[in-house]
Amino acid sequence: MLDRAEFPHVLPPETTRQEDALRPTAPPRAAHPAGPPGAADTVTPLPEAGEVAAADLPEPSGALDTRTLSRSLFLRLRELSAEDSGKESPERAYVRDTLIELNLPLVRYAAARFRSRNEPMEDIVQVGTIGLIKAIDRFDCERGVEFPTFAMPTVIGEIKRFFRDTSWSVRVPRRLQELRLALTKTSDELAQKLDRSPTVPELAQALGVSEEDVVDGLAVGNAYTASSLDSPAPEDDGGEGSLADRLGYEDTALEGVEYRESLKPLLAKLPPRERRIIMLRFFANMTQSQIGEEVGISQMHVSRLLTRTLAQLREGLIAD
């Protein structure tokens, strides 16, 4: 909290009791002169950043003091911003940091709504804190709106943007992400109305998009999560081996790829007639008689040319 000895003009005098009420628990001292004994001597300390729950928020009376102190700090921050003329003074930075710490329970409360997501809670709280800082920088206390009401949409929006941009296993365009959400909602509505699963044309007509877009939107859902190739097999499938063992198979054509790539430069060096004969024989599957008629030579001549050319290619492969 603010130290009046260091910054005597940060807080107005009337916020003294609210500031004292928000300090961490201190050893017993004399009763406060402005209220009943012990009324403002002890307050439950703020929870740690990783412990997020609705119960982390202050009690109603403490929340009232927090809102009062926040408003006083926002008024002071506004005055310092006007005085500094764009320059960051130590006093303004201290007031701003105090506002951030004072409203961190708001971030924890918003982050608790996303505790079921497959992301560390600490990361969600950090992202929500970025939204809190943006809300503090944009908040105008003269508009008559409470800061929690103003900040909550910004904090939640920052967290949702984090999930939208980082939680997908494969990056897909935002248009398709939004289309997927619309398809999920529309599909549920049509399923209740029709008492069956809607078809692609029905979804396209309900959303006013083409059937191709509907198919793309439905396929996008497969890009949200990915399975590891080393993940074990489900118990229903016997529970033996990994996903790679179940998906892999021998590709009989893989060996021929190396041979074809090695033959390409050798074929390019052949004379045009010999190269054409090779192409007609092994790629067009023509007989020697058909090749002779195509090229205009005898079948015997085609046989001699094939024998000589194949021997030349074989020697080139062995030399490589």
Side-chain angles (χ1 to χ4, degrees):
M1 284 303 171
L2 296 177
D3 190 350
R4 290 187 177 279
E6 184 179 358
F7 297 101
H9 301 295
V10 172
L11 295 177
E14 61 271 13
T15 63
T16 303
R17 277 176 282 182
Q18 286 84 352
E19 177 188 358
D20 293 338
L22 290 172
R23 293 183 182 276
T25 305
R29 61 176 185 269
H32 200 286
D41 288 346
T42 59
V43 172
T44 303
L46 292 177
E48 296 297 330
E51 301 174 0
V52 182
D56 291 341
L57 292 177
E59 295 296 329
S61 60
L64 179 61
D65 292 337
T66 301
R67 289 195 295 268
T68 303
L69 180 56
S70 294
R71 180 172 178 80
S72 300
L73 289 171
F74 274 118
L75 290 173
R76 183 57 182 163
L77 185 64
R78 183 180 181 181
E79 295 175 0
L80 293 173
S81 299
E83 295 173 1
D84 295 340
S85 300
K87 298 180 180 179
E88 185 71 16
S89 65
E91 186 177 357
R92 183 182 182 280
Y94 196 72
V95 174
R96 185 170 176 266
D97 293 344
T98 303
L99 278 169
I100 295 173
E101 296 178 5
L102 191 65
N103 291 278
L104 278 179
L106 184 68
V107 177
R108 301 188 188 102
Y109 178 78
R113 298 175 51 180
F114 303 91
R115 64 170 66 251
S116 61
R117 298 295 185 93
N118 191 23
E119 292 290 339
M121 183 57 65
E122 291 80 3
D123 293 350
I124 301 177
V125 171
Q126 289 182 6
V127 173
T129 304
I130 296 176
L132 174 66
I133 295 173
K134 293 180 179 179
I136 289 176
D137 292 338
R138 298 201 309 261
F139 182 65
D140 186 0
C141 57
E142 298 298 331
R143 291 184 176 273
V145 179
E146 293 290 344
F147 178 71
T149 305
F150 174 83
M152 185 61 77
T154 304
V155 173
I156 294 179
E158 195 71 25
I159 295 175
K160 288 183 177 180
R161 189 177 301 110
F162 165 75
F163 284 115
R164 185 194 68 201
D165 296 340
T166 64
S167 60
W168 287 73
S169 298
V170 179
R171 185 73 176 89
V172 298
R174 181 177 179 181
R175 177 184 66 84
L176 292 179
Q177 295 182 20
E178 295 175 349
L179 178 60
R180 172 179 172 269
L181 296 176
L183 282 172
T184 302
K185 180 180 179 181
T186 305
S187 179
D188 294 340
E189 294 175 353
L190 290 178
Q192 294 180 357
K193 181 179 179 181
L194 302 174
D195 199 19
R196 59 175 174 81
S197 297
T199 62
V200 171
E202 290 171 345
L203 289 171
Q205 182 179 3
L207 292 175
V209 297
S210 64
E211 295 184 12
E212 290 77 8
D213 290 339
V214 173
V215 174
D216 292 340
L218 294 175
V220 161
N222 298 326
Y224 189 77
T225 57
S227 300
S228 172
L229 291 176
D230 297 326
S231 60
E235 296 182 358
D236 298 341
D237 296 341
E240 296 181 359
S242 63
L243 180 61
D245 296 334
R246 303 194 304 275
L247 295 180
Y249 63 94
E250 291 291 337
D251 189 352
T252 56
L254 185 60
E255 187 178 358
V257 174
E258 182 180 357
Y259 295 149
R260 286 196 297 271
E261 293 300 320
S262 300
L263 279 172
K264 281 182 179 180
L266 299 177
L267 290 173
K269 295 179 182 179
L270 293 175
R273 186 178 65 173
E274 282 77 353
R275 185 167 60 247
R276 184 183 180 191
I277 291 174
I278 291 292
M279 299 296 292
L280 292 175
R281 178 68 182 91
F282 295 99
F283 291 89
N285 295 322
M286 296 176 63
T287 64
Q288 294 182 5
S289 301
Q290 293 172 336
I291 294 174
E293 295 176 359
E294 181 75 20
V295 179
I297 57 178
S298 66
Q299 182 267 336
M300 186 63 67
H301 196 183
V302 171
S303 178
R304 288 196 296 268
L305 289 176
L306 279 174
T307 302
R308 186 180 64 184
T309 304
L310 291 176
Q312 181 179 349
L313 293 176
R314 190 178 298 110
E315 291 176 359
L317 288 175
I318 296 175
D320 293 340

